[in-house]
Amino acid sequence: MSDLPRKAVTRTAKLAALPLGFAGRATWGIGKRIGGKSAEIVARELQQRTAEQLFKVLGELKGGAMKFGQALSVFESALPEEVAGPYRAALTRLQEAAPPMPTATVHGVLAECLGEDWRELFADFEDRPSAAASIGQVHRAVWHDGRRVAVKVQYPGAGEALLSDLTQLSRFARLLGPLVPGMDVKPLITELRDRVAEELDYGLEAEAQRRHAEEFAHDPDVVVPGVVHHGERVLVTEWIDGTPLSDVIAEGTSEERDRAGQLLARFLFSGPARTGLLHADPHPGNFRFLADADGGKPRLGVLDFGTVDRLPGGLPPTIGLCLRLALDGEADAVYRLLCEEGFVRESIELDPDAVLEYLLPVIGPAAEEEFTFTRGWMRSQAARIADIRSPAYQLGKQLNLPPSYLLIHRVTLSTIGVLCQLDATVRLREELDAWLPGFPCTGTGTGQKAGAGAGAGEGGEAAPGGSGAPRGANDPLSADDPLSAGA
């Protein structure tokens, strides 16, 4: 068996079987209805069976199929508990592991990228992978100077598999819609496909990871492994130990979950301000919870920078300003900003008060000193937007998401999904005040100098929890995409 099921006909056949299975279950559902079961019960059974088949196939295929499964898995919180419960374990497996490629294939890639004498670079190398993901797997090793390292090796044929899978998935994207109420799956697949070239380029990944590692080198809250060496399809980084975030979700204490959630929110908003890059793959498999041996507060280890968004000025000030105005009840000003940024097309005219009413439940966490993100809250938001009888559904269909905001929107929504999985109580407003341009309502915050670097406060003071580097010292970076070793 080769490293990856990459023959197009084999992969296509597996994916093509998904919609056929969906159709078969729909017929089964009609039979159940005729037999007397209620529409609601039948719908939930169909959703559960569909999800089980989908994630089984995605996990087996790796490539773009698994990448899509990982992206989708963070929205598990939006599903009814009766449906989400039975396959939550399968989603966790998608986030953390996949079948490994043969040892001979791994050695072949290492020889091709690092040279035939690649073993001389390592004092020790474990053939058994410690983690596997959509386009590569990670091995523990010891660098020749004694440092513990993680060696990420890309699957041969990963590029072709990614493109083939995502193209095939896009053909029946509408059938996947019921899995995540309120979410349009097709734009997610399109965006993943558009970023294939970036994710496959370990040189871009190494450059972006170096940028984060340097910026967060002395940070008390966030740890990013340094880059040791890289080739075209091999990336060697420092190894970090820690508990996978999926384990914290499953069995962490409330204190651990709250701490992990706070740091996740902090990294989401501080990263663009400090590095000019947005880590764009926030599923639990890319984070580690690091306990402090000296009794200090646990830290968040961040892995896998394979996909990033370049934001030289940090997050757009319009986001923070619009959020602040919405919380202040300024419906007309919010509507005007949304029109200017392209969220409302010129041919559409909406009631500003209705738009504000649509937004307020979603942005509620930013209004509170602290907010507990729960699966129940996530499900209520998804149901409100997905119910075709609700005003929110009708209004949402008329809004537009400009391409420049697509990745930011997905990352934010995905992060909120993880916070809900954690059931974390988070001081979100504190992070917005510290890092989101346009949001603070006082002269001491980041938003008062939207033209300055994102996160720049008056006088360039150091940010809370930061490394001491001036906020706003985020010069543009032409790099893109890191994935972390140790993943």
Side-chain angles (χ1 to χ4, degrees), residues 134-159:
S134 55
I135 67 168
Q137 65 187 37
V138 176
H139 295 256
R140 286 176 181 260
V142 178
W143 197 238
H144 58 80
D145 61 5
R147 282 181 290 175
R148 293 190 308 150
V149 295
V151 184
K152 190 170 70 172
V153 182
Q154 190 175 117
Y155 305 129

Side-chain angles (χ1 to χ4, degrees), residues 62-82:
K62 299 183 185 178
M66 186 177 174
K67 174 60 65 178
F68 170 68
Q70 289 174 331
L72 198 62
S73 70
V74 298
F75 300 108
E76 164 263 318
S77 301
L79 298 173
E81 184 58 31
E82 316 87 90

